[in-house]
Amino acid sequence: MAPSRSIAKMESDDSTLRLAVLIDADNAQAAVIEGLLAEIARFGEATVKRIYGDFTAPTSASWKKVLQQYAIKPVQQFAYTTGKNATDSTLIIDAMDLLYTRKFDGFCLITSDSDFTGLAMRLREEGLTVLGFGEKKTPDAFRNACHKFIFTEVLRPESITESAAELPAVKRGRKTATPAKTATTDTGHAFPKKFVLAALDQSIDDTGWAGLAAFGSYLTKLQPDFDSRLYGYKKLSDLVKAKTDIFITEERQLPGTHRKMLYLRAK
């Protein structure tokens, strides 16, 4: 499956990608597992869920508590020698074995370790979608090797509580005056206005407007770790609507449907 098709489905309700989820227990936190799996479900079905590490070590105690709950298969890997990471090698070997089954549309690599940069690049060469999940300390090399990279800090429970709470409010007919924001808005990330406007300029059509989907796709191609939640907004559409000093937006009816699409241009 071509990556472009996979990326286009990221914000779609039609999530049918078959994904292999591989977690590096040495470089990931168990506290984000619920938000992590919910995020992965936006992109497709987690057909395989495996986690790699030494689960006899005290540092993996937090992971042992959630493995059964979320049906994640642990792959025990003892540290044979000091200073050598056998976990990385086992994960990479498994990833290649899964790749050659030709049963998957993409891989989710959960790690903050740049050692998986080569793996991400190899999977992309095979035409598979690569989604990376890691902490803000993750080196740029691994982030940019993925089609899409998501910071796990935005997936922590305190960051998704408000988002989850909004659905019942909408069903009860309650309205909000401003675009929805995540509970955590002070992320320490300065809004990249110049970059965003440059991406918009490349996304516009002959009329000077850009569809939100085209704009979002271009942002991700240029900067795989771009995420509206880093700037306090649950969705890209919320961010665009809120930045009235930068964007002019309008909703247009899609021909032959009852659906509307958001369009934007620079102010």
Side-chain angles (χ1 to χ4, degrees):
M1 180 176 293
S4 58
R5 177 184 171 189
S6 304
I7 296 299
K9 294 164 77 71
M10 283 185 174
E11 297 295 334
S12 169
D13 292 332
D14 182 21
S15 300
T16 56
L17 299 180
R18 292 171 58 86
L19 301 172
V21 179
L22 307 181
I23 305 172
D24 175 12
D26 297 336
N27 288 284
Q29 301 295 319
V32 304
I33 187 61
E34 183 175 357
L36 174 69
L37 294 178
E39 186 74 10
I40 290 172
R42 292 177 54 232
F43 305 128
E45 177 189 358
T47 307
V48 167
K49 292 181 288 184
R50 297 181 186 176
I51 184 168
Y52 301 79
D54 184 358
F55 299 101
T56 64
T59 53
S60 298
S62 59
W63 278 113
K64 288 191 289 186
K65 297 177 182 178
V66 301
L67 297 183
Q68 285 190 332
Q69 181 181 355
Y70 294 101
I72 303 172
K73 179 182 177 180
V75 179
Q76 171 64 31
Q77 183 59 59
F78 294 101
Y80 296 119
T81 60
T82 303
K84 299 293 184 180
N85 197 334
T87 298
D88 291 6
S89 300
T90 303
L91 191 156
I92 291 171
I93 291 171
D94 265 14
M96 297 308 294
D97 286 344
L98 292 171
L99 165 65
Y100 291 124
T101 67
R102 306 299 179 188
K103 294 180 179 179
F104 299 95
D105 303 310
F107 282 73
C108 299
L109 304 178
I110 295 84
T111 182
S112 300
D113 192 342
S114 63
D115 288 348
F116 294 101
T117 301
L119 173 61
M121 295 172 65
R122 181 68 180 87
L123 295 172
R124 289 189 65 158
E125 289 174 357
E126 290 292 325
L128 300 180
T129 296
V130 180
L131 306 174
F133 299 80
E135 298 177 351
K136 293 178 182 177
K137 66 181 181 181
T138 306
D140 290 343
F142 178 63
R143 296 189 207 175
N144 294 329
C146 302
H147 286 101
K148 177 72 176 174
F149 185 87
I150 298 167
F151 292 108
T152 53
E153 283 86 351
V154 304
L155 304 178
R156 292 183 179 276
E158 61 269 21
S159 298
I160 61 175
T161 299
E162 184 173 327
S163 301
E166 285 171 1
L167 184 58
V170 171
K171 288 184 176 180
R172 291 193 299 267
R174 292 168 54 186
K175 296 181 179 180
T176 55
T178 57
K181 292 187 177 184
T182 58
T184 303
T185 59
D186 185 13
T187 61
H189 282 73
F191 183 69
K193 180 178 177 180
K194 184 176 180 180
F195 163 73
V196 167
L197 288 176
L200 177 59
D201 186 58
Q202 296 297 320
S203 307
I204 58 175
D205 58 21
D206 293 339
T207 66
W209 290 83
L212 183 67
F215 176 52
S217 177
Y218 202 83
L219 284 173
T220 301
K221 288 177 182 177
L222 291 179
Q223 189 172 311
D225 60 3
F226 184 88
D227 193 323
S228 59
R229 289 169 294 190
L230 293 173
Y231 312 105
Y233 298 91
K234 186 178 71 171
K235 298 185 294 185
L236 180 60
S237 59
D238 295 330
L239 183 152
V240 167
K241 291 177 182 178
K243 296 290 184 181
T244 55
D245 59 322
I246 303 176
F247 305 112
I248 296 174
T249 63
E250 69 175 37
E251 290 189 342
R252 301 179 186 176
Q253 191 84 31
L254 294 177
T257 72
H258 297 291
R259 298 177 58 190
K260 292 184 178 180
M261 178 178 288
L262 185 68
Y263 281 79
L264 65 151
R265 64 181 176 86
K267 192 167 185 178

